[in-house]
Amino acid sequence: MTDAAVGRAGRPRTVEAAFALSLAAIALQAVVWVLGTFVVSPTGLEELRGELGRDGATRQLAVPAGLLAALGALWLLFCFRMRAGDGRARIALTVVGLFSGLFFLNALSKDGFRWTADGGIGDLLLTDLLPDLLAAGAIVMMFLPASNAYFSAARREGR
């Protein structure tokens, strides 16, 4: 690893980039959920209010909000562990990122791969794809040669 490829804390810039992309993916995932639930019409809240009433809709939305918060916290924990050199966290982030991409492709394949006038693919908005693209970028960065050397050195040091 060259000095130019290493940041201030001794981590390669590729690991720092993977960390930044992962943080952006976490934040964007939350933003996409909030937009789909409360802002973009027809919102999930409007649909649930029609079926369950106001109180039922609120209770029904509490479950995915709590799940999103818990998964986001776990994802964040793995990001910090990966940044510290934990190769198991790197593998966990890779597996989760790949599964997320597969779920997106599955949803896309059910609706079709046609572009729509509102900036989407089928019924899915392009914003739904952005967190997966950021996660994919983080996965690539975590497995570049400088990152591999960093994780190998961390494993030898017992981190």
Side-chain angles (χ1 to χ4, degrees):
M1 214 171 354
T2 66
D3 289 337
V6 177
R8 285 186 222 138
R11 284 184 288 273
R13 291 198 175 125
T14 55
V15 171
E16 291 296 329
F19 179 74
L21 288 170
S22 296
L23 292 181
I26 293 168
L28 193 56
Q29 189 72 40
V31 168
V32 166
W33 184 84
V34 167
L35 288 174
T37 303
F38 300 108
V39 179
V40 177
S41 188
T43 67
L45 181 60
E46 289 172 353
E47 292 175 355
L48 286 173
R49 272 191 193 153
E51 292 177 24
L52 305 172
R54 195 179 99 213
D55 292 338
T58 303
R59 281 191 301 274
Q60 190 71 21
L61 285 176
V63 173
L67 186 60
L68 182 65
L71 290 175
L74 188 59
W75 193 356
L76 192 60
L77 172 70
F78 285 143
C79 288
F80 278 100
R81 300 278 307 154
M82 178 274 302
R83 187 178 184 212
D86 187 344
R88 296 170 298 184
R90 174 173 74 153
I91 298 301
L93 288 170
T94 301
V95 169
V96 169
L98 291 174
F99 274 123
S100 178
L102 289 175
F103 284 125
F104 180 81
L105 287 175
N106 181 48
L108 190 59
S109 70
K110 288 181 181 180
D111 192 45
F113 290 94
R114 65 192 186 328
W115 289 96
T116 61
D118 63 350
I121 307 170
D123 287 339
L124 300 170
L125 295 176
L126 290 179
T127 54
D128 297 336
L129 178 61
L130 290 178
D132 292 323
L133 290 175
L134 291 171
I139 291 169
V140 168
M141 295 303 238
M142 287 187 293
F143 286 94
L144 289 175
S147 297
N148 284 334
Y150 173 70
F151 288 108
S152 294
R155 185 175 57 241
R156 282 191 301 274
E157 293 172 10
R159 282 192 261 164

